[in-house]
Amino acid sequence: MEFETRAIHEGQQSDPQTGAVIVPIYLTSTYEQEAIGKHKGYEYSRTGNPTRTALEEALASIENGKFGLAFASGLAATTTVLSILKNGDHIVAGDDLYGGTYRLLEKVVKNWGVTTSYVDIDNIADFETAIQPNTKLIWIETPTNPLLKIIDIAALANIARKNNIILVVDNTFASPYFQTPLDLGADIVVHSTTKYLGGHSDIIGGAVITSNEQLYTELKFYQNAIGAIPSPFDSWLVLRGIKTLAVRMREHEKNALFLAEFLEKHPKIERIYYPGLSSHEQHKLAKEQMSGFGGMISLELKGGFAEVERFASRLKLFLLAESLGGVESLLCYPTKMTHGSLPEAERLQRGIKDNLVRLSVGIEHQQDLQADLENALA
Ligand SMILES: *Cc1c(COP(=O)(O)O)cnc(C)c1O
């Protein structure tokens, strides 16, 4: 079955008891057992809940994976994946990462005795050079945040496989509609379902998908042992979001491409980052490994912080807010917002300048969005 159909039907059979077409929100913490050790597959809702099961099956299906796990946030999903590492292990990570992932690695995971080396993602060979005898995991995002660079997942998967290392791809920016890293050889996919999968800026959630049964068993153990699970209501909202993911992503992309082409020619824009533009450095690679380019645009305004401030304050439709992937358009200033936890030198070295702005293009009418940008730039 095709993506759109699976997103609506996988894991979402009508309720056998009532015929309800939509999976109910099972607000229950526990389940009556017929006899000691005899139950219907559910014992306690941290371990398993039918609404969450439906979501986890849908997540696995849309990522072309075998197993899905849902979490209370993207960082809860990330923390649970990193829990498979032990004192003395080493991670190789791309250097253009979600700020919260960097903070987790440096301020939390490091205290477990697990260290991370950051690699300049522009050179894939650097990942191999950074591998140590104790390297257990490679962690990347692609497209990256906020510079929207593209990493060759298949090439990196080869390096990981050769060295017996787990490759994790945070697929939040592309969404499974445009990119399925497991098909390209990744071992684990992570999502912040807060973003495109939820799609309506009304929940915080996370997901992990894999086709490796051994990894799944381990991750399922940690999901239950750590307990960072989503509520049945939040699970239901993400499931509801997934049903319309395909149509939303097509609109996000259409609008983003339209605005990127407009902004690229605008005299007040110094530089634009959108993988769908032929001027993007890795446009060819993006075309090969993605089926679309998504709804995120980053740009550098001519000038500095003062110009960014004026631009942001004059926008009416693009709301100044963290996050992305909702139906409404948002503007984020990475330097002070999503990447505020990065030390300044580190931030500048990663190319996140004071005039960089990130847009999450929503699904409003493209003419209105263009007029909003045009007005604020003028
Ligand atoms: C938002 C985000 C996260 C963290 O997810 P939360 O749901 O906020 O915990 C991780 N990775 C990426 C790429 C994100 O955009």
Side-chain angles (χ1 to χ4, degrees):
M1 274 189 294
E2 296 301 320
F3 186 96
E4 289 82 348
T5 315
R6 285 183 280 123
I8 291 169
H9 293 288
E10 272 307 320
Q12 303 166 71
Q13 298 75 16
S14 303
D15 179 40
Q17 211 165 19
T18 62
V21 166
I22 297 302
V23 174
I25 304 170
Y26 285 90
L27 288 174
T28 187
S29 57
T30 191
Y31 306 82
E32 185 185 359
Q33 306 192 6
E34 284 164 51
I36 292 171
K38 199 165 167 232
H39 54 76
K40 300 186 169 75
Y42 295 97
E43 297 162 85
Y44 186 62
S45 275
R46 172 167 26 75
T47 319
N49 174 282
T51 315
R52 198 173 92 214
T53 303
L55 170 61
E56 292 178 333
E57 286 177 11
L59 285 166
S61 174
I62 59 173
E63 273 292 355
N64 292 344
K66 288 202 182 119
F67 311 102
L69 293 164
F71 293 90
S73 69
L75 282 174
T78 301
T79 304
T80 305
V81 169
L82 296 175
S83 298
I84 65 180
L85 301 178
K86 309 269 182 300
N87 191 328
D89 286 348
H90 175 250
I91 301 167
V92 174
D95 68 354
D96 200 8
L97 275 189
Y98 177 68
T101 303
Y102 177 78
R103 180 176 56 201
L104 180 68
L105 290 168
E106 289 307 302
K107 299 266 168 78
V108 180
V109 174
K110 199 180 247 175
N111 299 332
W112 302 346
V114 174
T115 52
T116 306
S117 301
Y118 300 91
V119 170
D120 179 354
I121 54 168
D122 292 331
N123 189 2
I124 198 104
D126 286 0
F127 279 92
E128 192 147 31
T129 317
I131 292 171
Q132 304 174 5
N134 58 341
T135 305
K136 292 283 157 60
L137 198 135
I138 297 177
W139 189 286
I140 59 156
E141 293 172 19
T142 178
T144 64
N145 177 22
L147 295 177
L148 303 171
K149 294 181 185 178
I150 308 294
I151 304 177
D152 188 334
I153 299 175
L156 200 54
N158 275 332
I159 293 172
R161 205 173 309 118
K162 213 167 62 187
N163 292 280
N164 204 18
I165 294 170
I166 297 165
L167 173 62
V168 186
V169 178
D170 180 336
N171 201 28
T172 299
F173 268 44
S175 93
Y177 183 66
F178 286 135
Q179 176 172 276
T180 45
L182 299 179
D183 292 335
L184 299 166
D187 301 294
I188 295 174
V189 165
V190 166
H191 277 284
S192 168
T193 56
T194 310
K195 317 293 167 56
Y196 287 110
L197 297 186
H200 297 76
S201 305
D202 50 12
I203 53 111
I204 298 288
V208 172
I209 300 102
T210 183
S211 288
N212 179 320
E213 186 157 14
Q214 197 186 329
L215 274 177
Y216 168 71
T217 306
E218 212 174 330
L219 290 165
K220 170 86 195 146
F221 169 82
Y222 282 109
Q223 181 196 41
N224 183 48
I226 295 170
I229 46 118
S231 73
F233 185 59
D234 285 357
S235 300
W236 186 86
L237 279 173
V238 178
L239 197 54
R240 175 183 168 123
I242 286 174
K243 289 176 199 280
T244 56
L245 182 64
V247 285
R248 283 187 287 109
M249 291 316 295
R250 291 197 284 261
E251 287 298 304
H252 282 296
E253 185 189 43
K254 191 183 81 190
N255 282 356
L257 187 59
F258 175 77
L259 295 180
E261 283 170 348
F262 158 71
L263 290 166
E264 190 177 31
K265 290 187 221 101
H266 199 284
K268 294 213 172 138
I269 304 290
E270 189 149 291
R271 182 160 179 196
I272 180 143
Y273 302 86
Y274 182 66
L277 291 174
S278 54
S279 59
H280 186 278
E281 277 175 41
Q282 294 135 323
H283 177 62
K284 194 168 155 280
L285 173 60
K287 243 163 94 175
E288 278 163 20
Q289 78 178 14
M290 304 172 75
S291 59
F293 307 104
M296 299 300 296
I297 300 175
S298 288
L299 56 92
E300 287 164 11
L301 281 179
K302 287 215 171 107
F305 178 58
E307 283 70 22
V308 170
E309 229 178 2
R310 220 169 331 140
F311 175 58
S313 70
R314 287 180 190 180
L315 285 166
K316 293 196 169 68
L317 287 176
F318 281 85
L319 309 175
L320 179 66
E322 298 209 14
S323 200
L324 61 117
V327 291
E328 62 286 303
S329 294
L330 302 179
L331 174 142
C332 155
Y333 182 53
T335 297
K336 294 241 163 98
M337 296 164 74
T338 49
H339 291 64
S341 55
L342 271 187
E344 188 181 2
E346 186 80 20
R347 171 173 64 76
L348 290 172
Q349 203 218 322
R350 290 178 190 199
I352 305 170
K353 299 188 192 157
D354 290 336
N355 61 347
L356 184 80
V357 168
R358 192 189 78 185
L359 302 177
S360 173
V361 178
I363 63 171
E364 300 96 334
H365 198 284
Q366 58 186 31
Q367 236 83 48
D368 292 328
L369 295 177
Q370 184 189 26
D372 196 35
L373 291 170
E374 197 155 27
N375 179 54
L377 286 167

